[in-house]
Amino acid sequence: MLLLSSLFSSSSSSPHSRLLLLRLHIHLRRSISSSPPPSPSPPPLLDLPLSHPIYTIWASNTGLGKTLVSTGLAAATLLSPFPSSDSAKFIYIKPVQTGFPSDSDSAFVFRKFSQLVLRRRPSFAVSASNHVLKASASAAEAVLGFGSEGEGELRDLGAYEERRLLGEEWAAGAASELTCKTMYAWREAISPHLAVEREGGAVPDKVLLEVLGRCLRIGSEDGRGRMDVWSVVETAGGVASPGPSGTLQCDLYRPFRLPAILVGDGRLGGISGTISAYESLKLRGYDVVAIVIEDHGLVNEVPLLSYLGNRVPVLVLPPVPQDPSDNLMEWFDKSQAVFSSLKEIMLSVYSERIQRFHDMPKRAGDIFWWPFTQHKLVPEETVTVIDSRCGENFSVHKVQNNDFIAQQFDACASWWTQGPDATLQIELARDVGYAAARFGHVMFPENVYEPALECAELLLEGVGKGWASRTFFSDNGSTAIEVALKMAFRKFSLDHGIILDSTDPNTIGKFIEVKVIALKGSYHGDTLGAMEAQAPSSYTGFLQQPWYTGKGLFLDPPTIFMCDGIWKLSLPEGVQSEKLKQEELTFQSRGEFFSKSRDGSSLAGSYSSFISQQLSAYSGLRGFGHIGALIIEPVVHGSGGMHMIDPLFQRVLVNECRSRKIPVIFDEVFTGFWRLGAESASELLCCQPDIACFAKLMTGGIIPLAATLATDAVFNAFAGDSKLKALLHGHSYTAHAMGCTAAVKSIKWFKDPQTNSNITSEGRLLRELWDAELVHQISSHPAVQRVVALGTLFALELQAEGSNVGYGSLYARSLLLKLREDGVYLRPLGNVIYLMCGPCTSPETCSQLLIKLYRRLEEFKPS
């Protein structure tokens, strides 16, 4: 280690000389690491302390004075004539620095603050330090004076300066402290991504964020709600300047979503640049607390305030001297009032934010009526306060000694809607904003506009390819089902001669009993018609729906699940199993039970006989009416408990209904758009419907939209000369432009290997996301009854008995709370818990989820 020490002392013994500069240490490590730090995988969960104010300093362009603002804030915090504490701390962090060492923003803050201390002579002790953690080989050589091995790699520089300035309170141990840190530095004064290209020293985004997170946790250990500790993170260049990896900084730092101070441009043309920077931050979900501009005599603050509508204060700094010999001390003195005002604004916003976090659970409990929730079972302290979302993670407020923001993986995909990573989330925000600005909302019938047209075409070319020719838009999955039932019943009525003349006014009062054939355990939505198309369950009971009669023939389906590492088939009563071979009841892999080669098996014959008997028996019952449609959730029943239905059974069922001219509806609200590993679950079943319903993941989950796809034959059932024969169904926001735009982006994104690395080379399936060994291990756990793993879904049912079984069970509650502590947000289906990722989620992330789940299963003690 190279140690350079200097001792500076005041020659004056006058009592008015109240400050003494004690020492300056510069430590430069000669032992330089030849390899970069390992890249953690998956990306770290980034907890953010809220024990003190933390802000990011942005600018609308480079060279506008971010570092001056940081220095002024440090002085306003630590050198105030009336400090809130005699031991305040200010932490300045510069994650990315180029032009180093000749240009070092942390060194500038360190030096100017030290000069201000000597100038203002506070009555208490003050210390200041400056650290530089890592630098490129070129930058390190400029500091050390010698080169080292490992060109193109970052050096563990470890440069450190410290100054202690004595005051009257030093003996009592009280001192204010400035800590400056540069995390990564490159020599050439260019954009960071170019510096990496030329000098080496690549820094993956996740590594940079992890290091920044550690730096931000400095000062958070000293107690809750400290107002005398401040942290600022100063970015490099402008809001949209690239970081070391090429990621725009406004996207790079988005996981932390720190409140923002924007340094605007007071020069000619600066109004436009400042507004553009502000909009870029707002588009990404940042809270811009204040805008600061330098006075160039153009009064730019007036139009800025007019544009902002007084939502954000605009503060004006005096002109910065252009003379390089000016040490800026007088400028900082003139700016003192502005920086004090800025500090008070920042402190007020911080305090109000913390108070809102603490107030929200009670306020919500007093006025919300949460769906699928028994409020008496939700004490105030268990309410999850979600501050924001970034990709697949919630940022939630927590209190454990101190307030902090914790990251939780959204493992229920917010009721199965979510799929975007952080990049797609920003893309969707931009595109939906564009659609809102261009269209707002416009009437759909007899009209056409680009988002709706492109969305319909993509649906027919994708999930509807090979069978569908028409797209009917609605607003959510349940209403898409209602539309599908109307379509199916009309087609059935025409095919079976029930409707002969749609223009006959007597048909208006005509009534026939039309029912569906469906599967027990299926779920098709909460609206009254959709509920009639599902078997009796917790969702349809008298407490929920007194009108419910269950208009259908509900078959008990065979299910497939993994237990002890083996896929097993469970047959319902009525399916003949005596003559079945063992290999028809167990499977070594999923490919075996999805194979069409099973169509010629004896089990297929048993299924056909079982279905035919059921149809014959019920159609012969007096008053039963007509079976006008088959409706199924293909492959997996979602809300019914994440049961995988034998695909052979569903395929046989479809064929049996087709032979009887019963229209077939696939409810793919849950299963569609890669949820089960294929764009449509019909690809897994190897058969196609007449009608299919899609929603949830179709828009990337950012906004509600649904679509019911149909064949030409179904569409033609509504064709005629009378409007009365048309499909008289619609919604005020049918095919709204924002939803269609989001759907277009999401559909393209999920199926493109350039944006979704999980798409296999054939482009038809997702690669395996759940580690086979871990899945087998969990399926063999004594606390687990069964496991289902397919596509983005992993589900398990806990071994339970009596009242601990079923949707109303609280059996899994203790397990879920522990997993939330581990950063995994789940919501159960009784004693069934599930993990759900997105089509773009990495297998490494899925493995981490399974590892956390298994560890908690080992400790599991039921509630």
Side-chain angles (χ1 to χ4, degrees):
M1 175 179 291
L2 177 66
L3 173 62
L4 302 176
S5 299
S6 300
L7 180 63
F8 298 86
S9 60
S10 171
S11 60
S12 172
S13 58
S14 165
H16 298 291
S17 300
R18 303 166 61 185
L19 299 174
L20 175 64
L21 177 59
L22 277 188
R23 60 184 180 271
L24 165 64
H25 289 297
I26 305 179
H27 303 272
L28 299 176
R29 298 181 183 176
R30 187 183 292 273
S31 55
I32 298 175
S33 172
S34 61
S35 60
S39 299
S41 183
L45 293 177
L46 305 168
D47 289 352
L48 177 69
L50 293 177
S51 56
H52 63 280
I54 304 177
Y55 282 85
T56 301
I57 309 295
W58 299 90
S60 57
N61 207 336
T62 190
L64 294 179
K66 294 189 299 293
T67 311
L68 291 174
V69 171
S70 297
T71 306
L73 281 171
T77 302
L78 300 180
L79 304 180
S80 167
F82 306 102
S84 59
S85 168
D86 55 7
S87 59
K89 180 185 289 187
F90 190 94
I91 302 158
Y92 169 88
I93 303 169
K94 183 76 173 183
V96 176
Q97 177 72 61
T98 59
F100 182 84
S102 59
D103 186 6
S104 172
D105 291 338
S106 66
F108 179 92
V109 175
F110 171 72
R111 290 195 308 270
K112 292 302 173 185
F113 176 80
S114 299
Q115 293 172 8
L116 285 167
V117 172
L118 295 171
R119 181 180 181 85
R120 296 182 185 175
R121 298 175 175 270
S123 61
F124 46 84
V126 181
S127 68
S129 62
N130 181 36
H131 312 242
V132 183
L133 304 183
K134 292 183 180 292
S136 68
S138 177
E141 183 178 354
V143 175
L144 299 172
F146 58 85
S148 61
E149 297 179 359
E151 289 298 321
E153 297 173 349
L154 285 169
R155 302 300 188 272
D156 190 2
L157 187 61
Y160 176 71
E161 299 175 82
E162 180 184 11
R163 290 178 180 175
R164 293 185 180 179
L165 303 151
L166 287 185
E168 293 176 349
E169 303 301 323
W170 184 266
S176 290
E177 177 185 352
L178 169 69
T179 299
C180 301
K181 282 191 178 181
T182 297
M183 288 169 39
Y184 300 99
W186 290 264
R187 187 171 186 175
E188 197 169 355
I190 53 178
S191 181
H193 73 293
L194 286 176
V196 170
E197 285 183 16
R198 298 182 184 183
E199 302 176 34
V203 184
D205 291 350
K206 58 188 177 183
V207 174
L208 189 151
L209 291 175
E210 187 179 51
V211 174
L212 178 57
R214 289 200 297 266
C215 293
L216 289 173
R217 284 188 279 274
I218 297 173
S220 64
E221 305 86 1
D222 301 332
R224 175 179 172 183
R226 286 193 53 177
M227 305 302 182
D228 54 351
V229 178
W230 287 68
S231 294
V232 297
V233 178
E234 184 181 307
T235 60
V239 164
S241 295
S245 71
T247 301
L248 303 186
Q249 289 180 88
C250 48
D251 296 329
L252 170 61
Y253 299 119
R254 176 56 181 80
F256 287 117
R257 208 187 75 87
L258 297 174
I261 302 300
L262 175 60
V263 180
D265 193 343
R267 300 170 301 184
L268 183 65
I271 297 169
S272 176
T274 303
I275 290 174
S276 294
Y278 172 81
E279 294 290 352
S280 293
L281 291 172
K282 294 295 286 185
L283 175 71
R284 288 162 173 82
Y286 290 100
D287 297 323
V288 180
V289 169
I291 295 176
V292 182
I293 63 172
E294 178 190 350
D295 184 5
H296 284 269
L298 300 177
V299 201
N300 282 5
E301 67 273 15
V302 173
L304 284 174
L305 283 169
S306 175
Y307 169 78
L308 294 167
N310 295 317
R311 296 185 300 273
V312 179
V314 179
L315 289 77
V316 182
L317 290 167
V320 178
Q322 299 303 304
D323 184 355
S325 65
D326 192 314
N327 67 3
L328 300 178
M329 292 299 102
E330 290 187 5
W331 182 86
F332 277 112
D333 288 346
K334 293 178 182 177
S335 306
Q336 205 168 348
V338 177
F339 288 124
S340 294
S341 297
L342 178 59
K343 174 196 166 188
E344 292 305 315
I345 291 169
M346 296 163 69
L347 185 60
S348 175
V349 170
Y350 163 77
S351 301
E352 291 171 3
R353 183 188 186 199
I354 298 299
Q355 190 61 53
R356 287 198 306 273
F357 282 147
H358 286 274
D359 292 346
M360 283 169 69
K362 184 179 187 308
R363 291 167 60 194
D366 288 345
I367 63 174
F368 283 174
W369 191 334
W370 284 302
F372 293 95
T373 299
Q374 176 50 262
H375 281 235
K376 287 194 172 183
L377 300 177
V378 185
E380 184 179 313
E381 61 272 14
T382 66
V383 174
T384 300
V385 178
I386 300 176
D387 176 65
S388 64
R389 179 190 191 98
C390 185
E392 296 180 288
N393 290 331
F394 292 150
S395 294
V396 303
H397 173 252
K398 286 192 170 185
V399 181
Q400 290 177 357
N401 298 322
N402 289 327
D403 292 75
F404 65 100
I405 293 290
Q407 301 292 308
Q408 288 186 344
F409 186 92
D410 179 10
C412 61
S414 288
W415 270 342
W416 322 338
T417 62
Q418 296 300 300
D421 54 17
T423 305
L424 177 54
Q425 181 179 343
I426 297 303
E427 292 280 339
L428 287 169
R430 183 185 299 112
D431 285 6
V432 169
Y434 166 79
R438 178 180 173 184
F439 293 102
H441 176 61
V442 294
M443 175 70 79
F444 182 58
E446 301 182 46
N447 296 326
V448 61
Y449 38 93
E450 287 177 324
L453 183 60
E454 187 175 5
C455 182
E457 290 173 341
L458 282 171
L459 289 169
L460 297 177
E461 294 165 2
V463 291
K465 187 174 183 178
W467 67 271
S469 65
R470 296 286 173 167
T471 301
F472 189 98
F473 289 107
S474 58
D475 57 353
N476 64 69
S478 184
T479 52
I481 294 296
E482 301 269 358
V483 172
L485 291 170
K486 288 184 176 182
M487 291 178 177
F489 293 157
R490 170 69 66 83
K491 180 67 165 65
F492 176 85
S493 298
L494 284 176
D495 287 348
H496 293 265
I498 297 171
I499 295 179
L500 297 176
D501 183 4
S502 60
T503 61
D504 183 353
N506 293 326
T507 62
I508 294 176
K510 187 172 182 177
F511 170 81
I512 61 168
E513 188 71 25
V514 182
K515 298 188 178 182
V516 300
I517 179 170
L519 303 181
K520 292 180 180 178
S522 64
Y523 178 84
H524 303 294
D526 302 330
T527 53
L528 298 182
M531 294 178 81
E532 288 294 313
Q534 56 201 46
S537 69
S538 302
Y539 307 112
T540 62
F542 185 82
L543 288 173
Q544 302 300 327
Q545 216 281 62
W547 279 0
Y548 175 78
T549 58
K551 297 182 181 297
L553 165 59
F554 303 112
L555 304 183
D556 196 2
T559 58
I560 294 179
F561 54 88
M562 180 179 284
C563 182
D564 296 327
I566 301 295
W567 290 100
K568 300 179 180 181
L569 174 63
S570 174
L571 296 174
E573 292 184 13
V575 175
Q576 297 179 1
S577 58
E578 297 82 5
K579 298 180 181 180
L580 298 180
K581 300 176 182 178
Q582 184 61 29
E583 55 263 30
E584 294 188 90
L585 299 175
T586 59
F587 309 92
Q588 297 300 316
S589 69
R590 283 198 307 259
E592 293 181 20
F593 57 78
F594 277 114
S595 174
K596 276 211 74 178
S597 63
R598 298 176 66 208
D599 288 3
S601 66
S602 56
L603 180 59
S606 295
Y607 285 160
S608 181
S609 298
F610 170 72
I611 294 167
S612 294
Q613 290 170 7
Q614 295 290 312
L615 285 169
S616 298
Y618 280 88
S619 62
L621 290 177
R622 185 177 180 181
F624 182 79
H626 304 276
I627 294 180
L630 164 66
I631 181 168
I632 60 171
E633 290 180 89
V635 185
V636 174
H637 285 177
S639 298
M642 297 298 173
H643 288 280
M644 184 185 292
I645 311 304
D646 186 358
L648 174 62
F649 177 83
Q650 290 192 320
R651 193 157 55 243
V652 171
L653 178 58
V654 168
N655 291 336
E656 289 291 337
C657 289
R658 280 256 163 76
S659 68
R660 292 167 169 79
K661 293 186 177 181
I662 297 174
V664 176
I665 302 169
F666 282 3
D667 176 355
E668 291 217 54
V669 171
F670 162 53
T671 63
F673 298 104
W674 308 99
R675 185 58 75 198
L676 302 184
E679 189 171 22
S680 167
S682 64
E683 297 177 52
L684 302 176
L685 278 188
C686 300
C687 63
Q688 296 171 335
D690 301 298
I691 303 164
C693 304
F694 298 91
K696 293 190 183 292
L697 200 49
M698 183 169 77
T699 64
I702 200 168
I703 193 168
L705 184 73
T708 304
L709 273 57
T711 63
D712 256 335
V714 173
F715 175 76
N716 289 334
F718 291 83
D721 297 327
S722 170
K723 186 173 183 177
L724 297 178
K725 195 176 181 182
L727 177 53
L728 303 181
H729 191 111
H731 302 274
S732 300
Y733 292 94
T734 295
H736 57 90
M738 289 183 288
C740 290
T741 299
V744 167
K745 174 67 73 175
S746 299
I747 292 168
K748 289 180 177 179
W749 191 280
F750 292 144
K751 69 196 307 179
D752 185 352
Q754 296 297 316
T755 50
N756 184 2
S757 61
N758 289 332
I759 297 292
T760 58
S761 57
E762 298 82 9
R764 292 185 58 254
L765 299 171
L766 297 180
R767 62 174 168 166
E768 189 60 52
L769 300 178
W770 308 103
D771 181 80
E773 185 176 341
L774 287 170
V775 171
H776 287 194
Q777 193 174 2
I778 292 173
S779 76
S780 302
H781 196 281
V784 175
Q785 180 174 328
R786 64 177 177 90
V787 160
V788 170
L790 180 64
T792 69
L793 170 68
F794 175 89
L796 65 82
E797 182 173 355
L798 295 168
Q799 292 277 11
E801 297 178 348
S803 61
N804 288 325
V805 177
Y807 183 75
S809 168
L810 301 177
Y811 191 71
R813 184 170 180 80
S814 62
L815 178 61
L816 297 183
L817 293 177
K818 290 294 184 183
L819 284 164
R820 289 184 184 181
E821 291 177 11
D822 295 337
V824 184
Y825 184 93
L826 297 100
R827 186 175 171 90
L829 294 164
N831 62 314
V832 173
I833 62 175
Y834 60 92
L835 304 170
M836 193 174 293
C837 66
C840 303
T841 307
S842 71
E844 292 77 17
T845 296
C846 293
S847 293
Q848 289 298 314
L849 294 172
L850 292 179
I851 289 169
K852 291 177 180 180
L853 174 59
Y854 185 80
R855 287 174 178 168
R856 288 304 187 182
L857 282 171
E858 290 285 83
E859 307 167 358
F860 177 53
K861 294 180 181 179
S863 301

